[in-house]
Amino acid sequence: MPSRRQRPLFARPAARLAAGIALAAALACTRVSDTPRFEPISERLEILETIPGPMAEDVPPGAQIDFCFSGTLDPRALDDLDASLRSGLVTFDTQLDLQLFAWRPPGESSGTADAPWCPGSVVSLRAKEPLVPGVLHRVRLAPSAVGWAGEQLDVTTPGWVADDGGPLYILQFYVREPDDDGKTDPPAPAPTLTDLFAPGQVFSSNNPACSCHRDPDDLAYERLDLSSPQDAFAGLVLPTRRQSTGFPMVVPRRPSESFLVQVLLRDDDGQALHGVRGDPMPPDAPLPYPEMLAIVRWIEGGALP
């Protein structure tokens, strides 16, 4: 990760502000430019796919409803009240969840996917009780999602309808009868941080992607010591200070709100996500998907040492 010899990519805001004020005073008679300082964000987010699809007829009673978005979402823009799930006059108690990138299999609330099935973030809705077989269910999703860099939703694509309070995304489906035994295999236990240091794992001593965090002469080592599980836990989980994106380094059970996950992601151009200071980590190439999954599952399981 970044070496001691690299210059900071971002100057201090206070210094830039002072320089700007001084320049403005020197050029007081200069006409103010009509060009904005930064180009406005013109990209729009779209819902590309839903699991289940519209009017599906074989949805399991314990299904998770997934909305696949075209880009990375800001976790701060979502709330449990942004979605509702109903069947007739019955309203289900639900939980809204965000996968910053798609790590679970489509339509499942546990486990990991072999490959990301969605190019952006996934918003998941789960009922806290089994759904009702044989009847129509309806999900209503408010357009509150915002892209990581402030992109707004495109509410003109299929699935969006006009409502008295504004546009809503409507998804309807039928639930099938439960399986005969009604049993499912329990999810595999989440790895501990010590597990991630085992040979061949993401933080192991033979993984070159983390070598700069084990070199005492590297600036990355001073910022985060990954030479042992104990040192890594002290640097990743114990600090509560917010990082450049506004999130702590690791928030147990909330991977999408953990800076460690955010700094490992890249945008479509291969750059760090908006707000991440410096290069994406690791700088030479993206972390392999299986290693990203291991980190996410560790955080999702409570970020245990």
Side-chain angles (χ1 to χ4, degrees):
M1 299 179 184
S3 68
R4 188 187 299 273
R5 294 186 295 275
Q6 288 180 314
R7 295 181 58 192
L9 297 184
F10 295 92
R12 293 183 177 178
R16 290 193 310 216
L17 178 60
I21 292 174
L23 181 60
L27 303 176
C29 296
T30 302
R31 179 177 178 273
V32 177
S33 173
D34 293 328
T35 304
R37 175 67 178 84
F38 298 102
E39 291 295 327
I41 298 173
S42 58
E43 293 84 359
R44 289 275 176 173
L45 286 172
E46 296 182 23
I47 295 178
L48 300 179
E49 183 181 1
T50 63
I51 306 292
M55 300 306 295
E57 298 181 353
D58 60 347
V59 178
Q64 171 175 282
I65 296 93
D66 285 343
F67 296 86
C68 167
F69 285 79
S70 58
T72 305
L73 300 184
D74 187 337
R76 291 164 290 201
L78 295 171
D79 187 271
D80 283 340
L81 298 178
D82 294 333
S84 64
L85 174 58
R86 300 178 181 175
S87 177
L89 299 177
V90 176
T91 299
F92 293 88
D93 190 12
T94 58
Q95 176 181 339
L96 201 65
D97 184 34
L98 171 67
Q99 300 170 62
L100 209 56
F101 69 96
W103 63 74
R104 300 190 196 109
E108 298 186 22
S109 59
S110 63
T112 53
D114 294 332
W117 61 273
C118 174
S121 295
V122 178
V123 172
S124 302
L125 184 68
R126 293 193 295 274
K128 296 181 180 180
E129 55 189 298
L131 304 180
V132 183
V135 298
L136 181 68
H137 291 71
R138 171 180 289 190
V139 174
R140 295 158 60 96
L141 183 68
S144 55
V146 175
W148 186 267
E151 303 94 325
Q152 298 298 307
L153 268 175
D154 184 350
V155 296
T156 65
T157 54
W160 292 98
V161 299
D163 186 76
D164 293 340
L168 287 173
Y169 193 94
I170 304 295
L171 175 65
Q172 300 185 109
F173 57 88
Y174 289 91
V175 174
R176 69 169 185 244
E177 293 292 335
D179 297 332
D180 292 338
D181 56 14
K183 297 179 180 179
T184 57
D185 295 331
T192 65
L193 187 56
T194 301
D195 293 334
L196 300 188
F197 275 81
Q201 298 300 310
V202 58
F203 292 147
S204 67
S205 59
N206 62 353
N207 188 347
C210 301
S211 60
C212 56
H213 288 283
R214 295 188 294 268
D215 182 0
D217 294 327
D218 202 300
L219 179 61
Y221 174 85
E222 295 182 10
R223 293 175 175 172
L224 178 62
D225 182 355
L226 294 181
S227 56
S228 72
Q230 295 77 19
D231 292 324
F233 189 83
L236 290 172
V237 183
L238 297 183
T240 58
R241 182 176 62 87
R242 296 182 182 274
Q243 304 297 316
S244 61
T245 59
F247 294 90
M249 183 66 78
V250 166
V251 181
R253 302 192 184 283
R254 304 184 76 87
S256 294
E257 298 175 26
S258 298
F259 179 76
L260 176 62
V261 175
Q262 297 161 3
V263 77
L264 292 172
L265 294 178
R266 286 162 160 77
D267 62 18
D268 292 339
D269 296 325
Q271 302 300 313
L273 294 184
H274 183 79
V276 174
R277 293 179 181 171
D279 295 328
M281 296 294 113
D284 295 333
L287 201 64
Y289 185 68
E291 296 184 0
M292 287 287 294
L293 293 181
I295 291 174
V296 165
R297 291 196 64 239
W298 167 62
I299 298 175
E300 205 169 35
L304 299 178

